[in-house]
Structure formats: C-alpha cells, structure tokens
Amino acid sequence: MAHPESHLGDDDTGCPILHVDMDAFFASVELRERPELSGVPVIVGAPGARGVVLSATYEARRFGVHSAMPMTQARRLCPRAVIIPPSHGKYTEVSRKVMELFGTFTPEVEPIASDEAFLDVGGARKRLGRPAAIAAMIRERVAAEHRITCSVGVASSKFVAKLASRHAKPDGLFVVPAARVVDFLHPLPVGALWGVGERTERSLLRLGIRTVGDLAGTPVETLQRELGQAAGTHLRELAWGRDERRVTPHVPDRSIGAEETFVTDIDDPVRIRRELLRLSERVAARLREGGHVGRTISVKLRRADFTTLSRSRTLRDATDVAQELYAVACDLYAASGLEKTRLRLVGVRVENLLPADGATRQLSLGERETGWREAERAMDRAARRFGRDAVLPASLVRPPTDGVDL
C-alpha cells in the first residue's frame, strides 16, 4: 500500500496492538526447502486450468500476480514463474509453531488466518519492553527459528495495526503513533478501509469520495443514506481511526472443512467418492491437529452450472476419524440424487466441534472398536516425519492424471 510518508516516528506510547503478517507465507515455506529458487518468481497453487494462486513471491507479484487469481491468468502475466503445488499439511504445521511462538510473548494472541494474528502486548511491557521492541524480537525469532519473514504493524487499534503491517511489507516494521493516526489514514485510498469492497468503493467514488480523508469529511447522514445506517456509521468511525475491538485470544474453531474443484466436471461416482475420501482424510487430520472432534458432517456438491447443494447429518458420537467422516459423506452424496450429475466441486465439513479430551464414545451392545483411530494417528505421526503424502489409503494411490485439481 502506497503512503506519502515512509516513517511516522517511533513513538509507540499507547500502541499495544501488533498485527503480525507472514510475508508470502506458503511460498516462503516452500523456499525453505528450495533455496535455489530465492529471487525467482514462484507461485504456489494447483497447476490445473481451474487452479488458483494461493501465494506468490514478491518477484512474481511485480508482474501483477496475487493470491486468489486464476492460475491461467497468473501464467499469462508471469510465464517464467516456477509453479509449486501446495502442501497444506506443511503450512498448517508451520502456522501452529509460529502461533505458539507468539504465545511466548503474550497470552493475548488472536489468530485471524494461518499466516497472521493480532497480539496485545500491553501486559508484556514490564517483562519485555516497549511494543516496537517486542515487535522487533518477534520478527527476529520468526526468522531465526522458522526461516521465514514477517511484517509487523504497531498501533493503538487492530484496524490501524493491520494497515501498518501492510505498509511494512515485505519484511518490515511500521509504527503508527497514537497521535498521528489521522495523518496516517487520511491520505490512503478509501478502498483501504475494512468493509469497503468493490461495490462499496464504486458507491463512494460516485459521491466523489476517493480517500479516507474524503470519507472522514463526509456527513454521516450522507454515508448512511448511500450505504445503510450501520455501514455508513462504521466506515466513518474507521476513517477517524476509531476501532474499539479488543484482541480476543483463543477463538475456538466453529467448523473445519476442505473442498476441491475438479479440473474438468466429473459425473463418475467412483472418482467423486475417491475425492470425498481424500477430503475426509484432510479434515480428520486437521481435527486431530487442533484437538477437536465433531458431530455434524456435511458435504458440498456444486454442479457444472454453479448451483450448489449441501447435505448434513449429526452423529450420536463426535469423531475425528476419517473413515467415519467418509462413510457419512458417501451416504449424503448417494442421497443427494446427484450421482449421475456432472460436478464441478465437492467438499466435506465437520461442525459442532468439541474438545477431543472431553469427548467420550459410547459403544452399542456387541459393537467393537474398529482400530481406525489408532491407525490414523499412526498416519499422523508418519506425516509429521515424512510429509502428508507419505502414507495414504490404497484407493488414493494412483497416477496424477486422474483429473483432480490437487
């Protein structure tokens, strides 16, 4: 994000909020194992025609490549880029360790994605020093212990800290002094505000509002009339740097899911069930990594015309076992009436999450333990040591030309 001032001063008085954002996270994790690609345009994403960019190095971003862009467009913009298929388990593990590192500085950590979090370090000042000094220590430890870089914004509120970290990228630290919040915000384009998407931005541009300062000077009644009362009031508050939200640590996951878009639309039930197994394996691994079990299992089925059908079932006992998720997912797919319908996307999700330590399983009379839980935990141990694809169900071991966007 461009800003007319590259330095607003070092006064971090009244600025206990940090926003820490990993730089090109997925790509940076991949480059740890492929240092020969340092300085080369690298894109992480599924290479198929329907794949999207998950992450891109800054060398690739100079060509206009960005996350969520269709891979076909990214290839046109940067034809010499090296394409690396994603390794989700690897990113999850690094993310977990980085979040644990943040917790050694303060218990007030609010992850908002796998690669970013808010920290309130107000209570750590006596032990560790001023907020900017703590931010510098975090950056040093992330680089030393995980061999990736991060950018940190230091400010008086979450909203301003997030903007500051963006201004610090890549691999930087930016302090917005509490007394200079308005100086920092008002020259920014209005699209920088949280809640201003393309549609809202077009509405504001029609009113002649191009910068945050323009919006701050617009009567709130005008904004409410154009955007609605709640949105108009909220955006004007942000334009003056007013954000009362606190850092909320340990927000529990409400659901865990995974989905996949096929390279070409598929109506083969065998291949679709095989993808449901793959997704069930991925979701179950994430449940176990997070210490969760869940009772409600749902499948998402998107037709070739983009219409989407969802079906769910709530179990008697919560589970984190892929084979149990898969069995329910297959039943839901069979009951959907879409077994001969061409599908573009399938997904599996688990809701009604509970802590795994507190969950109990009640066996019915004559029912035996299947052993799947122990087997899958052994697979988890192998995956942590050798990589997620080291151990797979036999039905998932197949040539890579089966048409699924991995």
Side-chain angles (χ1 to χ4, degrees):
M1 179 191 303
H3 193 278
E5 295 189 70
S6 60
H7 192 70
L8 288 166
D10 299 318
D11 183 6
D12 58 4
T13 304
C15 295
I17 309 301
L18 312 184
H19 180 256
V20 187
D21 196 359
M22 302 300 115
D23 299 318
F25 178 54
F26 296 165
S28 296
V29 171
E30 295 291 349
L31 291 184
R32 299 189 313 176
E33 301 172 8
R34 302 182 64 177
E36 73 278 5
L37 296 179
S38 179
V40 174
V42 173
I43 298 172
V44 175
R50 291 184 178 175
V52 297
V53 175
L54 294 182
S55 182
T57 60
Y58 288 88
E59 291 80 7
R61 295 184 190 193
R62 294 190 189 107
F63 291 86
V65 178
H66 58 78
S67 61
M69 172 181 285
M71 188 63 75
T72 52
Q73 182 181 357
R75 287 177 180 274
R76 288 196 299 270
L77 291 172
C78 190
R80 296 186 179 181
V82 176
I83 309 297
I84 300 179
S87 305
H88 293 283
K90 187 190 310 180
Y91 313 140
T92 299
E93 180 66 11
V94 175
S95 173
R96 182 183 63 80
K97 291 179 178 178
V98 168
M99 297 301 167
E100 288 178 355
L101 185 156
F102 295 163
T104 66
F105 289 88
T106 173
E108 303 296 314
V109 178
E110 180 183 348
I112 56 174
S114 62
D115 59 347
E116 59 179 311
F118 288 110
L119 287 70
D120 186 335
V121 297
R125 289 193 55 166
K126 289 184 179 179
R127 181 169 59 96
L128 298 173
R130 302 181 67 88
I134 296 173
M137 285 188 279
I138 289 173
R139 293 183 60 242
E140 290 171 2
R141 284 192 57 188
V142 168
E145 297 177 22
H146 300 289
R147 293 181 292 134
I148 57 179
T149 64
C150 63
S151 299
V152 185
V154 182
S156 56
S157 70
K158 293 168 71 172
F159 164 60
V160 178
K162 185 172 175 66
L163 291 179
S165 71
R166 198 182 307 174
H167 187 56
K169 283 187 170 292
D171 193 16
L173 188 159
F174 193 84
V175 177
V176 180
R180 301 205 61 188
V181 167
V182 170
D183 295 337
F184 173 70
L185 289 177
H186 283 193
L188 297 176
V190 72
L193 293 177
W194 268 344
V196 177
E198 291 183 8
R199 182 176 177 181
T200 301
E201 187 172 11
R202 287 196 298 270
S203 297
L204 294 172
L205 291 175
R206 284 198 301 269
L207 296 175
I209 299 172
R210 289 175 169 76
T211 68
V212 176
D214 292 339
L215 191 147
T218 302
V220 69
E221 296 80 9
T222 302
L223 298 174
Q224 291 172 340
R225 190 164 49 249
E226 182 69 23
L227 306 174
Q229 185 168 359
T233 302
H234 174 66
L235 290 181
R236 196 164 188 276
E237 289 291 297
L238 292 183
W240 285 104
R242 293 190 281 264
D243 178 14
E244 301 300 325
R245 294 170 308 147
R246 300 169 60 92
V247 172
T248 306
H250 313 305
V251 177
D253 289 321
R254 296 181 179 178
S255 67
I256 291 176
E259 57 188 43
E260 202 72 69
T261 301
F262 297 115
V263 175
T264 57
D265 300 332
I266 292 176
D267 60 3
D268 181 353
V270 173
R271 293 174 65 188
I272 291 171
R273 282 193 289 268
R274 187 160 55 199
E275 188 59 27
L276 290 173
L277 175 57
R278 183 192 311 280
L279 295 172
S280 297
E281 292 278 344
R282 189 186 304 175
V283 171
R286 290 181 58 195
L287 285 168
R288 295 189 293 270
E289 286 170 2
H292 301 299
V293 290
R295 292 186 59 218
T296 300
I297 302 166
S298 63
V299 295
K300 179 179 179 180
L301 307 168
R302 179 167 293 161
R303 300 181 180 92
D305 63 1
F306 287 89
T307 58
T308 303
L309 179 73
S310 295
R311 291 289 184 268
S312 65
R313 178 185 299 170
T314 298
L315 306 178
R316 180 190 64 182
D317 298 308
T319 184
D320 59 4
V321 177
Q323 288 297 321
E324 294 178 5
L325 304 185
Y326 172 61
V328 174
C330 285
D331 287 347
L332 294 171
Y333 169 53
S336 71
L338 300 181
E339 284 195 296
K340 293 299 182 181
T341 301
R342 299 183 68 81
L343 297 181
R344 175 184 179 87
L345 173 149
V346 296
V348 174
R349 181 165 295 277
V350 177
E351 300 171 292
N352 284 341
L353 302 188
L354 302 168
D357 293 342
T360 58
R361 177 176 172 82
Q362 181 68 46
L363 295 178
S364 301
L365 183 64
E367 183 183 2
R368 296 183 179 181
E369 283 281 9
T370 63
W372 278 114
R373 179 173 283 102
E374 291 71 22
E376 291 182 14
R377 286 176 177 170
M379 291 171 62
D380 291 341
R381 292 192 292 272
R384 285 193 291 270
R385 184 171 181 182
F386 301 111
R388 176 53 61 187
D389 294 332
V391 183
L392 294 171
S395 61
L396 295 183
V397 179
R398 56 175 175 74
T401 56
D402 196 43
V404 175
D405 192 356
L406 305 177

